[in-house]
Amino acid sequence: MPGRSLPTLPTSDVESHSTFKSCYVTIGTKVFDVTDFLGDHPGGGDLILEYGGKDVTKIMGDEVSHTHSEAAYEILDEHLIGFVASKKVMDVATEVDGADNILPLPPNAKGMKELEKRGAAIGVATEPVYATTGISSAADLSKETDYNTDYKVHKFLDLNKPLFMQVWNGGFSKDFYLEQVHRPRHYRGGNSAPLFGNFLEPLSLTPWWVIPTVWLPPIAYGTHTAYNNLSGGLETMLYLITGLAVWTIIEYGLHRGLFHMDRYLPDNRVGITAHFLLHGIHHYLPMDKYRLVMPPTLLVVLALPFWKVAHLIFFHDWYAGLAGFCGGLFGYTIYDMTHYFLHHRNLPAYYRELKKYHLQHHFADFENGFGVSSRFWDRVFGTELRSAPPAKVLKTA
């Protein structure tokens, strides 16, 4: 199932949310649920309630009343829940052929042209916003987060402080943690947010070039040893290729079954913290270039079961198992380097498509798209990412 984009809400529904129990405001076609902010508004909640269910574009920009800062608009963005079709937009949609180009909002390029031609495009949002991540596109992954606003609004993690102990001592429920950790943030200048804030910090940071530097020499040595003890190059190559093929299913299985075991995650701080260290931090800060590849110290621990698997598959010959393991380890090396390059490099055509695919996993739908170096197993197991179908208009006013 593709990532769900925010819905188009009927005007009557938006207008009915004007009380302390539930208060919506709009800017253009965007709808914001500001109920939780009523008590925190510097001017008091009553001031917001005056505009409950209404458009606040003019009042927020009114210099006589009070000009709102950029931070105020950022806080609003965090409360976006959907879109509303104004009367002008609805009139155009009912008058033209191809109303599905306009509704549900946001309109596609053809629908936007029609709205512009008829003077109804002002304030109309042009991109979908995905419900689970709160963002619209891959470009949003690199938009710098305002730490203070983010912490004040979401009450999750303060990016000014080491993250590990905040997760451990946060007392977060599993549902709240998973909702927040899948809303991507971006640390200042693309640097790495502090994780431990002590002597352990360097162990959590791994430049991409460490992976080939550490693993290619033992792969070459193991392959050479296997070649010298098997019948020849062809047999060695077959075992290497088989090991590489086995790695591809392990890659998919780890990403889907371990890194994204969200539904089965224990609802306690041990499970939540382990999830955060293993993969959650990558979805929370997806463009952190020093936490995109696996630290060699961690892979050494995981390599032992992989070694056992290789020798279980090629049980008839120890050197066949060695060649298979080297093929799998080579597959892992390619996977980790690919993962880094998908986030941080301009790539040839095939990899550009793979980059779009993987970044969609981050900004649109983290419950699908588990293949990183290939989407083959996603196709086999029915988890291939697709563009989200338009959300339906619930009803019209």
Side-chain angles (χ1 to χ4, degrees), residues 248 251-252 335 338 342 350-351 354 357 369-379:
T248 64
E251 173 197 318
Y252 176 87
Y335 150 78
T338 299
L342 294 182
Y350 168 77
Y351 284 100
L354 204 56
Y357 183 76
F370 301 108
V372 174
S373 52
S374 164
R375 60 175 76 183
F376 174 77
W377 292 111
D378 278 322
R379 287 170 176 158

Side-chain angles (χ1 to χ4, degrees), residues 218-250:
I219 290 169
Y221 177 77
T223 301
H224 179 71
T225 302
Y227 172 78
N228 286 337
N229 289 275
L230 293 170
S231 62
L234 180 60
E235 185 183 13
T236 305
M237 184 60 69
L238 286 172
Y239 290 132
L240 284 168
I241 291 172
T242 304
L244 178 60
V246 170
W247 162 256
T248 64
I249 186 64
I250 291 175

Side-chain angles (χ1 to χ4, degrees), residues 189-211:
N191 294 322
S192 295
L195 180 58
F196 297 109
N198 56 29
F199 68 95
L200 292 173
E201 194 71 27
L203 296 178
S204 74
L205 304 171
T206 309
W208 73 267
W209 52 261
V210 168
I211 301 305

Side-chain angles (χ1 to χ4, degrees), residues 271-284:
I272 286 171
T273 305
H275 181 278
F276 186 76
L277 292 176
L278 193 61
H279 197 61
I281 190 172
H282 175 52
H283 274 262
Y284 187 63

Side-chain angles (χ1 to χ4, degrees), residues 303-371:
L304 180 59
F306 295 160
W307 174 266
K308 296 288 187 184
V309 168
H311 284 275
L312 182 66
I313 294 172
F314 305 111
F315 62 89
H316 63 286
D317 189 313
W318 190 90
Y319 291 103
L322 174 62
F325 176 76
C326 288
L329 190 56
F330 181 70
Y332 155 76
T333 304
I334 296 300
Y335 150 78
D336 237 358
M337 292 171 64
T338 299
H339 189 205
Y340 177 86
F341 293 145
L342 294 182
H343 279 262
H344 288 289
R345 289 288 185 272
N346 292 321
L347 301 164
Y350 168 77
Y351 284 100
R352 280 200 299 272
E353 289 304 308
L354 204 56
K355 178 171 185 166
K356 289 179 187 175
Y357 183 76
H358 179 64
L359 294 184
Q360 189 182 342
H361 169 74
H362 281 282
F363 75 77
D365 185 5
F366 61 83
E367 295 177 315
N368 289 292
F370 301 108

Side-chain angles (χ1 to χ4, degrees), residues 72-93:
Y73 289 94
E74 289 176 357
I75 290 173
L76 264 185
D77 282 339
E78 297 293 344
H79 292 83
L80 181 67
I81 59 164
F83 304 95
V84 63
S86 66
K87 185 177 184 303
K88 279 187 177 180
V89 171
M90 289 299 298
D91 287 346
V92 174

